[in-house]
Amino acid sequence: MLNTRELEKKWLAYKIKSYIPHAIIISAILTIAIFVNMIKEAKTTQEKEIVAIINATDVKKDKIEVKQVPEQISTPKPKKIEVIEEYVAKQEQTAIEQYEELKLKPSLSFMKKIQSSNFPYYQEEVGSKKTNAKKTNKQKEKTLDIAILETPTVESSALTKINNDEELTDNRIVIDRHNAKDDINTIIKRFKKNNNPALSLFIAKKYYELGDYHNSYNYALITNQINNSIEDSWIVFSKSLVKLDKKDMAIKTLKDYIKDSYSNNAKILLDDIQSGKFK
Amino acid sequence: MSSSIYLSSKNVFLDTVNAKDYIQLDRVSTIYQSLKDSIKKPLKMILLYGRPGTGKSMFLSKLYTDLSSSQIVHLYKTPILDESEFYKTLAQDIFSIKYSGELNFTQFMKVVNSTKFDSIPVVLLDEAQLYSDVLMEKIRLLSDTRTVKFVITLHKTEKEDLIAKEHFQTRIWESVELENASSSELKMYIQKKLMKDNCFDSANMFNSKNVNKIHKLTNGNYRDTNKLIYTLFDLYCTYEEKQQLSNINTNQISSKLIEMAAIHTGLINA
């Protein structure tokens, strides 16, 4: 009589042994599939984030028409800084991706000319900031006062605060805005530490939004020097030039850039500048 | 299904060389017929070769059974390795001369040359690879006299191929190779073998899938197949004795039991 119990044990061991290679192959295939899927998902989420950031920046541009209250400037700025930092971090990511994808080498001969011209980078920051900021703030105060009186809308909970007392008395909404320059200064500090082109681009854009075209020009130029393949730096640079009454230089710059990059946005901007739509 | 069927089925696959157990398969039958025809031809020697377990011994046994009624045939299943003993045995069996003392090749050749038969006696030598080179050379010389015809079987290995080349290349006029069975041949072999012993139920238990598995394990070797199926039915008998057959599908051969039998016989290294 055969020892069936022993044979069954051996058979079980044999079966397990025979399934091991299959299990390894299947698990390897599954791992690869999951890994590939994860990479794909990561790419799609990154793309979505980029789109969201672009949308967010567009929205912010529209919403920044708020009144500045100089007396309340001394109040802390935690939420806004957080928002900006998040935005900058995302910008960093997108910028890194752009660097990897876009490797353009435009002619930089005009840069030397610009460097030798009258626009220093940081020296003017203190002096010109004050004068320009004062002018622009005054201008904004005027325009914003009118805008708020006519359309009393609350823009953002993070950026605004309703003054209850005033609301009770004459139904006016006073929007409290934290000083954007303080925020920019913290970003500038960060930029000086890590020399990240995403930060300098952000600063350039912010200065441009604030109407400080000298500084927006400077930071766009700095961004371009760090990485000349970032399209936005070219655009901000050109826009700043136009605002600084250097239209010809802006056109030349854009033409040089379009020649190398075939950028649609640059083409649109060039057309706008040439046709006079953008002034 | 009664217990005797498993037992009787098991006994069918006992590894014995018996002409009665010879299973006629199409390809094998053709080879056998060509071998029989070759014996009728005026050939000095016939070589039957193939890997172990391909049925060479069974072929010789069947040939001996079939030819013994019509002509003088002598089958030597076990090689006679001593030279003098070999001559003395042939002298006694073929020429009916009994020698008590030593008999050398010269003396035996004298006997061979002095005797004439109406039909040439056939000597069937199994496992010829065990004979020494010297004795093989003398067998070749004996076959040259055309007084005795030899049918020898060899295992097909590189060494035996060399022997065949060196000793028999010019003399062997017919060589027959036996090969392992194909899957369909193996199915037919198993079922015919079982049905020959009236084990119809167990013959029906073998389907193509089972036989393919067996073929994969045995590579179509008849000896290995016999061993495997013997153990397989032995397992069925054991489970039946332990009254555990209810756990096993008895309508067809269990794949698990085939593998267990293969593990037991060493065909699977578990």
Side-chain angles (χ1 to χ4, degrees):
Chain A
M1 191 188 282
L2 292 168
N3 186 352
T4 50
R5 192 170 289 180
E6 187 65 29
L7 267 175
E8 276 180 350
K9 273 184 189 173
K10 282 184 180 176
W11 175 80
L12 196 66
Y14 159 74
K15 272 294 183 195
I16 292 165
K17 216 164 99 179
S18 64
Y19 283 129
I20 286 170
H22 298 286
I24 290 168
I25 291 164
I26 290 164
S27 56
I29 290 165
L30 280 173
T31 315
I32 291 163
I34 290 163
F35 187 68
V36 168
N37 198 32
M38 276 171 70
I39 291 168
K40 277 185 181 176
E41 277 182 9
K43 274 187 180 178
T44 50
T45 48
Q46 275 178 356
E47 280 169 8
K48 280 177 186 174
E49 278 175 5
I50 292 160
V51 172
I53 290 160
I54 291 161
N55 291 337
T57 50
D58 290 342
V59 169
K60 274 180 188 173
K61 277 178 188 175
D62 297 336
K63 286 184 179 179
I64 281 173
E65 288 180 9
V66 286
K67 186 186 174 183
Q68 277 199 330
V69 183
E71 291 79 16
Q72 291 173 358
I73 283 169
S74 58
T75 52
K77 67 283 175 181
K79 282 193 175 178
K80 175 120 195 241
I81 286 177
E82 273 175 26
V83 171
I84 290 164
E85 279 175 353
E86 273 177 26
Y87 170 72
V88 168
K90 283 170 185 177
Q91 281 285 72
E92 281 174 20
Q93 276 188 345
T94 51
I96 289 159
E97 281 169 12
Q98 280 177 350
Y99 307 152
E100 285 170 2
E101 287 167 8
L102 252 169
K103 286 191 176 174
L104 300 172
K105 287 181 179 175
S107 166
L108 291 169
S109 56
F110 70 95
M111 300 282 273
K112 286 169 189 171
K113 289 176 193 173
I114 294 162
Q115 279 173 329
S116 61
S117 67
N118 297 324
F119 303 109
Y121 301 141
Y122 299 111
Q123 288 85 341
E124 280 190 9
E125 246 180 57
V126 183
S128 64
K129 228 190 259 178
K130 283 179 183 174
T131 52
N132 287 330
K134 274 179 185 175
K135 281 178 189 173
T136 51
N137 283 343
K138 279 179 184 174
Q139 281 174 347
K140 276 196 174 178
E141 271 178 23
K142 282 178 188 173
T143 53
L144 289 170
D145 270 335
I146 296 157
I148 290 159
L149 286 167
E150 282 172 3
T151 54
T153 51
V154 180
E155 294 298 333
S156 164
S157 62
L159 300 170
T160 60
K161 187 177 90 180
I162 297 164
N163 191 329
N164 290 326
D165 297 331
E166 282 183 45
E167 193 183 327
L168 285 167
T169 54
D170 54 3
N171 285 333
R172 279 184 63 185
I173 298 167
V174 177
I175 299 164
D176 177 17
R177 189 184 184 284
H178 300 298
N179 193 351
K181 281 189 179 173
D182 287 347
D183 300 340
I184 290 171
N185 287 336
T186 53
I187 305 297
I188 288 167
K189 278 177 192 171
R190 278 185 62 193
F191 170 69
K192 281 178 181 175
K193 274 182 190 171
N194 61 20
N195 221 31
N196 189 329
L199 291 170
S200 56
L201 180 62
F202 176 79
I203 296 159
K205 281 181 176 178
K206 282 290 143 197
Y207 273 128
Y208 185 84
E209 281 168 14
L210 292 168
D212 190 347
Y213 301 119
H214 278 287
N215 277 321
S216 70
Y217 162 86
N218 280 340
Y219 279 96
L221 191 61
I222 289 164
T223 310
N224 206 286
Q225 280 176 338
I226 296 166
N227 188 328
N228 58 23
S229 61
I230 303 169
E231 187 189 57
D232 279 1
S233 73
W234 290 90
I235 288 170
V236 174
F237 182 79
S238 305
K239 281 180 174 180
S240 303
L241 279 172
V242 174
K243 296 286 182 189
L244 293 166
D245 295 329
K246 303 263 181 187
K247 193 178 169 183
D248 293 340
M249 197 182 275
I251 291 167
K252 196 193 169 197
T253 307
L254 283 171
K255 277 180 180 172
D256 283 341
Y257 178 59
I258 290 161
K259 203 190 286 177
D260 288 311
S261 69
Y262 306 104
S263 162
N264 281 329
N265 289 335
K267 279 177 190 171
I268 292 162
L269 180 63
L270 180 65
D271 290 342
D272 288 349
I273 293 167
Q274 281 174 336
S275 64
K277 275 185 190 175
F278 185 83
K279 288 178 183 174
Chain B
M1 202 179 277
S2 67
S3 63
S4 62
I5 284 178
Y6 293 122
L7 195 64
S8 54
S9 301
K10 182 177 91 171
N11 293 333
V12 168
F13 291 94
L14 270 170
D15 193 29
T16 52
V17 180
N18 191 338
K20 286 178 189 173
D21 299 332
Y22 177 80
I23 302 297
Q24 279 211 325
L25 300 169
D26 288 348
R27 187 164 59 98
V28 179
S29 294
T30 312
I31 294 168
Y32 180 72
Q33 197 55 47
S34 73
L35 181 67
K36 259 177 102 175
D37 294 342
S38 302
I39 287 165
K40 286 174 194 167
K41 289 177 196 170
L43 303 173
K44 290 176 186 174
M45 256 188 184
I46 297 159
L47 173 68
L48 187 63
Y49 68 101
R51 295 198 175 277
T54 47
K56 298 184 293 292
S57 300
M58 181 61 92
F59 249 63
L60 276 194
S61 189
K62 173 75 177 159
L63 198 66
Y64 175 75
T65 312
D66 289 354
L67 295 178
S68 55
S69 56
S70 57
Q71 65 184 103
I72 304 164
V73 189
H74 296 280
L75 171 64
Y76 300 98
K77 289 181 180 176
T78 317
I80 307 157
L81 299 175
D82 182 73
E83 203 176 316
S84 174
E85 197 61 36
F86 180 75
Y87 302 138
K88 274 159 74 177
T89 310
L90 287 188
Q92 192 174 338
D93 291 345
I94 301 166
F95 306 103
S96 307
I97 302 166
K98 198 172 182 179
Y99 283 91
S100 52
E102 285 285 306
L103 182 65
N104 60 32
F105 181 68
T106 317
Q107 288 168 322
F108 184 66
M109 279 295 271
K110 274 183 189 173
V111 175
V112 170
N113 287 324
S114 63
T115 315
K116 291 281 175 194
F117 293 100
D118 293 335
S119 67
I120 300 169
V122 179
V123 175
L124 309 173
L125 298 177
D126 201 3
E127 307 284 359
Q129 74 277 359
L130 295 172
Y131 290 98
S132 67
D133 289 357
V134 178
L135 189 54
M136 283 307 280
E137 189 65 17
K138 283 168 183 171
I139 291 167
R140 179 183 69 79
L141 289 170
L142 277 171
S143 68
D144 279 349
T145 63
R146 291 184 183 274
T147 312
V148 187
K149 187 180 277 182
F150 286 92
V151 177
I152 62 167
T153 67
L154 284 174
H155 282 177
K156 191 189 175 189
T157 62
E158 280 181 22
K159 194 187 168 191
E160 277 97 46
D161 276 353
L162 202 69
I163 292 167
K165 275 179 191 169
E166 284 177 358
H167 295 285
F168 309 113
Q169 206 168 25
T170 55
R171 285 162 182 86
I172 293 167
W173 288 10
E174 192 79 28
S175 64
V176 178
E177 184 179 7
L178 290 177
E179 288 174 341
N180 285 339
S182 67
S183 190
S184 57
E185 282 172 345
L186 201 67
K187 188 182 178 187
M188 210 172 282
Y189 169 79
I190 294 164
Q191 289 185 328
K192 275 192 175 182
K193 212 168 163 65
L194 285 164
M195 285 194 278
K196 208 171 181 180
D197 277 44
N198 298 322
C199 301
F200 298 103
D201 287 333
S202 44
N204 284 330
M205 285 170 76
F206 286 90
N207 57 30
S208 296
K209 196 184 162 190
N210 293 326
V211 176
N212 281 342
K213 197 171 195 69
I214 293 167
H215 185 264
K216 203 177 165 186
L217 291 164
T218 61
N219 211 15
N221 188 288
Y222 292 104
R223 189 174 292 155
D224 287 342
T225 303
N226 287 346
K227 259 167 66 181
L228 181 72
I229 299 176
Y230 177 87
T231 316
L232 176 70
F233 282 116
D234 201 8
L235 277 167
Y236 272 102
C237 291
T238 310
Y239 278 114
E240 192 173 46
E241 278 175 45
K242 287 181 177 177
Q243 295 184 329
Q244 291 173 339
L245 261 185
S246 55
N247 301 330
I248 301 160
N249 182 9
T250 49
N251 293 325
Q252 60 181 42
I253 295 292
S254 159
S255 236
K256 180 187 169 183
L257 291 197
I258 292 172
E259 284 168 352
M260 281 169 71
I263 290 166
H264 184 73
T265 51
L267 291 168
I268 288 176
N269 185 21

